[in-house]
Amino acid sequence: MNSSKPDPSLNAESHTRTESAHIVQALSDGKNKRVRKLLGRMHPAKTAALLEMLDAEQRMALWQQIDPALEGRILSHLSLELIGQLAGDSADSTHARAEQQHPQSAVNHLEAVRAALGLKKLKRVGKILHRMHPAKIAGLLEALPPEERRSVWSMVDTERAGKVLTYLHDEIRIALALDLDIEDLIASAEHLELDDRVDLIQTLPGELGNKLLRASSASQRKQLESMLSYPEDSAGGLMNADVIQIRADVKVSTVLRYLRLLEKLPPQTDMLMVVDRKGHYQGSLRLSSLVTADLGRPVAELIDRDIAGIAVTSKNTDVARLFQDLDLLSAPVVDEHNRVIGRITVDDVVDLIREDSERALMQMAGLDDEADIFAPVLISSRRRAVWLGINLITAFTAAWVIGLFQATLEQLVALAVLMPIVASMGGIAGSQTLTLVIRGLALGQVQKGNIRILLNRELGISILNGLLWSVVIAALAVLWFGDWGIGAVLGAAILVNLLCAALAGWGIPLLLERMGIDPALAGSVILTTVTDVVGFFAFLGLATLLLL
Amino acid sequence: MNSSKPDPSLNAESHTRTESAHIVQALSDGKNKRVRKLLGRMHPAKTAALLEMLDAEQRMALWQQIDPALEGRILSHLSLELIGQLAGDSADSTHARAEQQHPQSAVNHLEAVRAALGLKKLKRVGKILHRMHPAKIAGLLEALPPEERRSVWSMVDTERAGKVLTYLHDEIRIALALDLDIEDLIASAEHLELDDRVDLIQTLPGELGNKLLRASSASQRKQLESMLSYPEDSAGGLMNADVIQIRADVKVSTVLRYLRLLEKLPPQTDMLMVVDRKGHYQGSLRLSSLVTADLGRPVAELIDRDIAGIAVTSKNTDVARLFQDLDLLSAPVVDEHNRVIGRITVDDVVDLIREDSERALMQMAGLDDEADIFAPVLISSRRRAVWLGINLITAFTAAWVIGLFQATLEQLVALAVLMPIVASMGGIAGSQTLTLVIRGLALGQVQKGNIRILLNRELGISILNGLLWSVVIAALAVLWFGDWGIGAVLGAAILVNLLCAALAGWGIPLLLERMGIDPALAGSVILTTVTDVVGFFAFLGLATLLLL
């Protein structure tokens, strides 16, 4: 940090000019954090002089960045009219009260902030942000279009910026992290738990991540590096190093004395890990049993051995399931020698579960769940274009099948009217089986041991529904076109397509899974291709054979 | 309970006969729990006699239900050949070892159990189940077809049956609960926490639920009734009554002494609730601060006031978000006077989040996430038929639109070949916007304050992609049919349909949400209707105007 006095080595005048120049520059770049930093080093009188220099808009913008504590001293140096202009801007405390009553309501946050932005009242934005939890601020930022997001972001105080970043989806997180000066980014990261910092480093572009890493204290860097060495989707990637280890041979009273010396336990601590002399995991001691046990009892008698150490290499989906099944709040992570090297806490598991389900939902539509829904139109368009392109292959394949039967269609145009029905019924029926199998695989309801049974069921269902709907649809077609032949062919085609749909909806996800492709991602496109092709081919093919 | 001796009032002979008759009956009903109960009251010699009476298959089935502890005494009464037959059946312990190494592996459970069932070795099944966590048993039961599920269920010991029920999806849970004798159901429910018992009572058919309720102790019934009085999807429905309340004016040492008197804290206890004399919520005292604080300090200095009491009426989705945002392990639930009436623990929130995401995924395909994937084919067929019927309306609407242009199609059959492309591109593009908005609404990214911005973006994206793909597709069509007119019309139609798709994908979920309908449920069907109708109408309409 510079001293708050101007540097004597060059004359004050020019110095102030350059200072002012920097401020104006930073202001026009929207780098409000930097503006506030520079203002902090400036004498109130100089700031006042600068305000006088600026045009009305710049002046109001600059005023929004001035520390309320200094406002008075600066106003005292200003001309009356300016005082009138600027002092008028006092933030309303009504929102503050509303805030107290409904801490959960995010809607009014968004509207209040956007209103304040509209009036260029960044001070008010700052006040609102100050009352919000980092998670809520993150939600607010995600709900704002990029430009507004940037200026709101510039009003988040550095101590909380890091926590806010951890709650953001990757794309927005990276953009806003890059928007910070590196020293601010480092400062904000210092307030983070190690596992959050690891997440941050992993999502940031390489060199920036490294800067963050190097900026941490030597001891922390060692921990961070070891945590970074594990794949993101493993227990190692989920774990935090803040484990409290105790020995089984000590008394409860000793443990309590030890904890009082620590003064503070890591967040989300519900149990202590019991280890032997070599750090091998023995079991866990819940705080709830610690506080209820007689002081004289040895830890050994209170150990909970039900909770096995999680291998650092286990997949995070298995970890999530384990937490759900055993209702865990935290669990130890052990290396290959069963030595405790960290712990996983349920809050990270909760995020994991939410993200996984989000991903499944988005992937079904070929969307990226980490993408910014307010990303520049051009970028989003390019992403979506890919999915449309893939679908185009499906569509043209279907069209090609129809093309094979142009001669038939020329003679019986009614077929053209009815053929979409065959394809769409197949698509719907197939997607039901597909979804059932995808979810069954995820929950472990569908396994090698029972896939055959499932197939038989699905085929049975498709036969029953096939018979039902082929009759109904055939009847409707006969009523419509007064032609029994068309009805018969339509019904038959639907029956065939529903059978194939069941088979495809069952087989595709199993096949993709075996190929290591996420069924939720590619499943529906492939299915549609099958049901379209089979549907059109069966309908038009049968018509060609039987009706001409 | 009867005494273990036969009732003297009637002669022992006939008594045994009736006893045996009951056993044989229960055995053929697959009511193994009852069989074991009856066997328990029988003298080994009598059991041996019964075994001699039975045919080989019944004999093996009965043997499977005999308590291993009694086997020896019963064998001693049997003829040598029978001893040979029965004693041969010793369960392998290899599985047990495998089990120890991979506690997560559920696959081998399913296969091992189904293998044992195939051999009618129910004892082995029982042994396997005994080593499994209730959650895993539930997973196993869901992965089994109904008949096998019933016989496995009959081998689950009563103490754990209740816990297993809580992990099951509603449909299976009800079926298996009904499969138990009422006294067994009551016995198994006694081992449950109150909130789990409430869940069970809520899912069971009315009169059975009431029986459970009446069976609980007076004090518990009072609590249960008050918990049952809140809607399932409210904080009241999520909460448990096992709160530990303390006063702010006492010392840490006093609290610790109090806790030692309790001897055991409720599961998932990470904090105590601090209340005033009237039970009004003041704040929370984390166990982690309790164990690190000096004994002399008053609780008042350690209170954490960040965690506000959750209103008993608040929606459970809001509760879930709160837990995620604040990384809570548990939180107090308060009534309208801010008196603590219960607490919510994170394990229930985790289940809630998982179920919600599952539901969204399943509803998109018109499936019920609580249904049994191995439900009788007839039942599943009926359920799915509804969805297919709804889709049929969509399909016929589309067909009707095409029907309007039969004359055009007769003259230009190429149109029939290409028209599915228009509809399918629209459907894909629309479903992307739809999914984005549905998820945005769920996460609060999409709100009144920013829906317009989102619409503009989506329209922008659809214009860019529309231009791109209409050109590509038009070009392909021209190459295929060598007709510029068709290409132009096709391109134009696709551009139009992509625009409408964006509009529909944006508007439909917002509309449904306002109407109180879950967008995930009805959204995609309505969207498809729109994109099909618009697609066919635009394409064939333009063709009629320009190409004839």
Side-chain angles (χ1 to χ4, degrees):
Chain A
M1 282 305 272
N2 311 22
S3 74
S4 67
K5 290 201 177 352
D7 182 341
S9 67
L10 40 81
N11 86 50
E13 249 313 295
S14 73
H15 176 77
T16 327
R17 246 199 235 93
T18 54
E19 277 277 282
S20 314
H22 287 142
I23 292 179
V24 174
Q25 184 53 47
L27 200 59
S28 56
D29 296 351
K31 296 244 172 225
N32 294 329
K33 272 203 168 66
R34 188 178 298 158
V35 173
R36 291 201 292 278
K37 232 179 292 165
L38 294 167
L39 282 174
R41 310 187 194 134
M42 215 176 193
H43 186 282
K46 296 249 161 55
T47 313
L50 177 57
L51 282 165
E52 299 272 1
M53 270 168 45
L54 298 169
D55 63 50
E57 190 179 331
Q58 285 180 310
R59 184 183 298 130
M60 187 45 90
L62 181 57
W63 180 252
Q64 294 298 328
Q65 300 306 324
I66 288 170
D67 176 355
L70 292 173
E71 286 179 7
R73 292 174 56 196
I74 292 166
L75 285 170
S76 64
H77 293 279
L78 287 173
S79 66
L80 279 170
E81 44 158 348
L82 281 199
I83 295 179
Q85 281 180 30
L86 299 176
D89 163 43
S90 67
D92 49 352
S93 62
T94 54
H95 183 74
R97 268 185 250 98
E99 178 57 13
Q100 292 312 316
Q101 282 141 23
H102 332 278
Q104 263 78 72
S105 62
V107 183
N108 50 26
H109 280 150
L110 180 64
E111 281 163 355
V113 165
R114 297 200 72 213
L117 286 173
L119 303 166
K120 296 214 172 352
K121 303 250 188 230
L122 283 171
K123 263 196 181 114
R124 189 180 302 170
V125 174
K127 288 214 185 71
I128 298 173
L129 292 176
H130 202 75
R131 288 189 300 263
M132 291 169 70
H133 184 277
K136 287 258 164 290
I137 298 179
L140 174 69
L141 289 167
E142 299 215 325
L144 287 169
E147 317 70 39
E148 299 185 2
R149 184 185 290 151
R150 253 190 99 217
S151 39
V152 170
W153 176 238
S154 73
M155 298 306 293
V156 177
D157 27 350
T158 310
E159 308 75 61
R160 303 166 77 211
K163 195 68 189 162
V164 172
L165 285 175
T166 61
Y167 285 105
L168 292 166
H169 286 95
D170 290 357
E171 189 177 19
I172 303 176
R173 180 192 290 182
I174 295 168
L176 294 186
L178 292 172
D179 206 37
L180 291 175
D181 298 343
I182 180 68
E183 64 268 20
D184 288 331
L185 181 60
I186 289 169
S188 57
E190 269 159 15
H191 301 272
L192 291 178
E193 285 173 53
L194 284 186
D195 58 344
D196 287 339
R197 216 183 298 183
V198 168
D199 283 357
L200 190 57
I201 292 174
Q202 276 167 329
T203 40
L204 290 179
E207 81 290 347
L208 196 54
N210 292 333
K211 278 198 188 133
L212 264 191
L213 188 57
R214 281 195 300 278
S216 349
S217 71
S219 67
Q220 283 186 330
R221 196 182 320 153
K222 231 178 128 299
Q223 282 186 324
L224 285 171
E225 272 157 356
S226 77
M227 288 164 80
L228 282 161
S229 67
Y230 301 107
E232 250 183 290
D233 66 348
S234 71
L238 271 176
M239 77 178 177
N240 207 340
D242 56 5
V243 197
I244 300 183
Q245 309 192 351
I246 57 169
R247 293 281 186 70
D249 49 20
V250 298
K251 287 209 181 58
V252 167
S253 53
T254 326
V255 177
L256 285 171
R257 224 177 302 114
Y258 169 59
L259 294 181
R260 287 196 199 98
L261 291 177
L262 294 178
E263 278 174 358
K264 201 171 167 318
L265 299 189
Q268 317 271 324
T269 301
D270 67 310
M271 56 167 68
L272 312 175
M273 307 308 169
V274 185
V275 296
D276 66 12
R277 284 185 166 53
K278 293 199 174 59
H280 295 116
Y281 176 67
Q282 307 278 294
S284 54
L285 172 61
R286 297 179 184 280
L287 292 186
S288 55
S289 21
L290 183 66
V291 292
T292 48
D294 296 327
L295 295 171
R297 291 183 71 184
V299 167
E301 292 177 11
L302 305 168
I303 292 185
D304 179 346
R305 301 185 190 278
D306 297 350
I307 299 165
I310 297 175
V312 67
T313 52
S314 35
K315 293 199 73 276
N316 58 11
T317 47
D318 297 335
V319 175
R321 185 128 290 286
L322 189 68
F323 268 72
Q324 288 173 56
D325 289 350
L326 306 186
D327 294 345
L328 298 176
L329 298 181
S330 69
V333 178
V334 295
D335 64 11
E336 64 277 17
H337 308 301
N338 196 36
R339 280 185 306 239
V340 177
I341 55 176
R343 65 179 189 125
I344 295 174
T345 51
V346 70
D347 55 316
D348 297 322
V349 174
V350 170
D351 297 342
L352 184 69
I353 293 171
R354 219 204 49 253
E355 284 162 16
D356 284 353
S357 63
E358 251 184 59
R359 189 170 305 113
L361 195 68
M362 300 290 274
Q363 281 183 338
M364 284 256 187
L367 295 165
D368 171 5
D369 61 309
E370 289 293 350
D372 170 10
I373 67 171
F374 292 107
V377 171
L378 205 59
I379 294 174
S380 308
S381 307
R382 204 181 318 122
R383 289 194 186 123
R384 305 231 198 138
V386 177
W387 194 243
L388 288 165
I390 294 170
N391 173 69
L392 192 59
I393 301 168
T394 306
F396 264 97
T397 321
W400 169 74
V401 173
I402 300 170
L404 299 176
F405 299 96
Q406 281 195 63
T408 314
L409 287 166
E410 266 160 15
Q411 296 174 56
L412 265 176
V413 76
L415 299 176
V417 176
L418 295 171
M419 65 187 185
I421 298 175
V422 183
S424 105
M425 291 301 277
I428 294 288
S431 73
Q432 291 197 307
T433 307
L434 181 79
T435 309
L436 202 72
V437 174
I438 288 176
R439 178 246 204 170
L441 288 169
L443 295 187
Q445 293 170 321
V446 178
Q447 303 171 13
K448 259 228 269 43
N450 62 10
I451 38 178
R452 297 231 150 286
I453 309 171
L454 193 64
L455 175 60
N456 299 336
R457 283 192 71 264
E458 290 301 317
L459 289 177
I461 293 172
S462 64
I463 289 170
L464 286 181
N465 271 317
L467 290 170
L468 167 66
W469 291 113
S470 55
V471 169
V472 171
I473 295 167
L476 290 169
V478 172
L479 285 176
W480 187 352
F481 293 94
D483 178 331
W484 289 91
I486 288 180
V489 168
L490 183 59
I494 288 192
L495 189 53
V496 171
N497 204 19
L498 255 57
L499 266 172
C500 295
L503 197 60
W506 172 84
I508 291 169
L510 297 175
L511 207 68
L512 290 173
E513 176 113 318
R514 189 155 308 165
M515 292 161 64
I517 304 169
D518 182 340
L521 181 55
S524 47
V525 185
I526 303 178
L527 178 81
T528 326
T529 317
V530 174
T531 50
D532 281 3
V533 168
V534 173
F536 292 132
F537 195 88
F539 182 51
L540 298 176
L542 285 171
T544 314
L545 290 177
L546 306 174
L547 304 181
L548 302 187
Chain B
M1 273 319 259
N2 312 24
S3 73
S4 67
K5 290 202 177 345
D7 183 338
S9 67
L10 40 82
N11 88 49
E13 247 316 294
S14 74
H15 175 76
T16 328
R17 246 201 235 95
T18 54
E19 277 276 284
S20 314
H22 287 142
I23 292 179
V24 174
Q25 184 55 46
L27 201 59
S28 56
D29 295 353
K31 295 247 174 226
N32 294 329
K33 273 204 168 64
R34 189 177 301 156
V35 173
R36 292 199 292 279
K37 231 179 294 165
L38 295 167
L39 281 174
R41 307 187 200 137
M42 218 176 190
H43 186 283
K46 297 244 160 52
T47 313
L50 177 56
L51 282 166
E52 299 273 3
M53 270 166 47
L54 298 169
D55 64 50
E57 189 179 328
Q58 285 180 310
R59 185 183 296 130
M60 186 46 91
L62 181 58
W63 181 252
Q64 294 300 327
Q65 300 307 324
I66 288 170
D67 176 355
L70 292 175
E71 286 179 4
R73 291 175 54 198
I74 292 166
L75 284 171
S76 64
H77 293 278
L78 287 172
S79 65
L80 278 170
E81 44 157 349
L82 281 200
I83 296 179
Q85 280 180 33
L86 300 176
D89 161 43
S90 66
D92 51 352
S93 63
T94 54
H95 183 73
R97 266 186 251 96
E99 180 56 12
Q100 291 313 315
Q101 282 141 22
H102 332 278
Q104 262 79 67
S105 62
V107 184
N108 49 25
H109 281 151
L110 181 64
E111 280 162 357
V113 166
R114 297 199 73 209
L117 285 174
L119 302 167
K120 297 213 173 353
K121 303 250 187 227
L122 283 171
K123 264 198 180 108
R124 188 180 302 170
V125 173
K127 287 212 187 70
I128 298 173
L129 292 176
H130 202 75
R131 289 189 300 263
M132 291 170 71
H133 183 278
K136 287 257 165 289
I137 298 179
L140 174 68
L141 288 167
E142 298 217 324
L144 287 169
E147 318 69 41
E148 298 185 3
R149 184 185 291 152
R150 257 190 95 215
S151 41
V152 171
W153 175 237
S154 72
M155 298 307 292
V156 176
D157 30 351
T158 311
E159 309 75 60
R160 303 164 77 212
K163 196 67 188 160
V164 172
L165 285 174
T166 62
Y167 285 105
L168 292 166
H169 285 93
D170 289 357
E171 189 177 18
I172 302 177
R173 181 191 292 182
I174 295 169
L176 294 186
L178 293 172
D179 206 36
L180 291 175
D181 297 343
I182 180 67
E183 63 267 23
D184 289 331
L185 181 59
I186 290 169
S188 59
E190 268 158 15
H191 301 272
L192 291 178
E193 285 174 54
L194 283 186
D195 58 344
D196 286 340
R197 217 182 298 182
V198 168
D199 282 357
L200 191 56
I201 292 174
Q202 278 168 328
T203 39
L204 291 179
E207 82 292 345
L208 196 54
N210 292 333
K211 279 200 188 129
L212 263 191
L213 188 55
R214 280 195 300 279
S216 4
S217 71
S219 66
Q220 283 185 330
R221 197 182 319 153
K222 232 181 126 299
Q223 284 186 325
L224 285 171
E225 273 158 355
S226 76
M227 288 163 79
L228 282 163
S229 66
Y230 302 107
E232 249 183 291
D233 64 350
S234 71
L238 270 177
M239 76 178 179
N240 206 341
D242 57 4
V243 196
I244 298 182
Q245 308 192 356
I246 57 170
R247 293 282 185 69
D249 49 20
V250 298
K251 288 209 178 61
V252 167
S253 52
T254 325
V255 178
L256 284 171
R257 221 174 306 115
Y258 169 58
L259 295 181
R260 287 195 199 98
L261 291 178
L262 294 178
E263 280 176 354
K264 200 169 171 319
L265 299 189
Q268 317 271 325
T269 301
D270 68 310
M271 57 169 67
L272 312 175
M273 307 307 169
V274 185
V275 296
D276 67 11
R277 282 184 170 53
K278 293 199 176 58
H280 295 117
Y281 178 66
Q282 307 279 294
S284 54
L285 172 61
R286 297 179 183 279
L287 292 185
S288 55
S289 21
L290 184 66
V291 291
T292 48
D294 297 326
L295 295 171
R297 291 184 70 186
V299 167
E301 291 177 12
L302 305 169
I303 292 185
D304 180 344
R305 302 185 191 277
D306 297 351
I307 300 165
I310 296 174
V312 68
T313 53
S314 35
K315 292 199 70 273
N316 58 11
T317 47
D318 296 336
V319 174
R321 185 130 289 289
L322 188 69
F323 267 72
Q324 287 173 56
D325 290 348
L326 307 186
D327 293 345
L328 298 177
L329 298 181
S330 69
V333 178
V334 296
D335 64 11
E336 64 277 17
H337 309 300
N338 195 37
R339 280 185 305 239
V340 177
I341 56 176
R343 68 181 186 120
I344 295 175
T345 50
V346 71
D347 55 317
D348 297 323
V349 173
V350 170
D351 298 341
L352 185 69
I353 293 171
R354 219 202 51 252
E355 284 163 15
D356 284 352
S357 62
E358 248 184 62
R359 189 170 303 112
L361 195 68
M362 298 291 275
Q363 281 183 338
M364 285 257 187
L367 295 165
D368 171 4
D369 62 309
E370 289 293 350
D372 170 10
I373 68 171
F374 292 107
V377 170
L378 204 60
I379 293 174
S380 308
S381 307
R382 203 180 319 121
R383 288 194 187 121
R384 303 223 201 144
V386 177
W387 193 244
L388 287 165
I390 294 169
N391 172 70
L392 193 58
I393 301 168
T394 306
F396 263 96
T397 320
W400 169 76
V401 172
I402 301 169
L404 298 176
F405 298 97
Q406 282 194 59
T408 313
L409 287 168
E410 267 161 13
Q411 296 176 52
L412 267 176
V413 75
L415 299 177
V417 176
L418 295 170
M419 65 187 186
I421 297 174
V422 184
S424 106
M425 291 301 276
I428 294 288
S431 72
Q432 290 196 311
T433 308
L434 181 79
T435 309
L436 202 73
V437 174
I438 288 178
R439 179 247 204 169
L441 288 168
L443 296 187
Q445 294 169 323
V446 178
Q447 302 172 13
K448 256 226 265 52
N450 62 10
I451 37 178
R452 299 229 148 288
I453 310 171
L454 193 65
L455 175 60
N456 300 335
R457 285 191 69 264
E458 290 302 316
L459 289 176
I461 294 172
S462 65
I463 289 171
L464 287 180
N465 271 318
L467 290 171
L468 167 65
W469 289 114
S470 55
V471 169
V472 172
I473 294 168
L476 290 169
V478 172
L479 286 176
W480 189 351
F481 293 94
D483 178 331
W484 289 92
I486 288 181
V489 168
L490 184 60
I494 288 194
L495 188 53
V496 171
N497 203 19
L498 255 56
L499 268 172
C500 295
L503 196 61
W506 172 84
I508 291 169
L510 297 174
L511 207 68
L512 290 172
E513 177 113 319
R514 189 155 310 163
M515 293 162 61
I517 304 169
D518 183 340
L521 179 57
S524 48
V525 184
I526 302 179
L527 179 81
T528 326
T529 317
V530 173
T531 50
D532 281 3
V533 167
V534 172
F536 292 133
F537 194 88
F539 182 51
L540 299 174
L542 285 171
T544 314
L545 290 176
L546 305 175
L547 304 182
L548 301 188

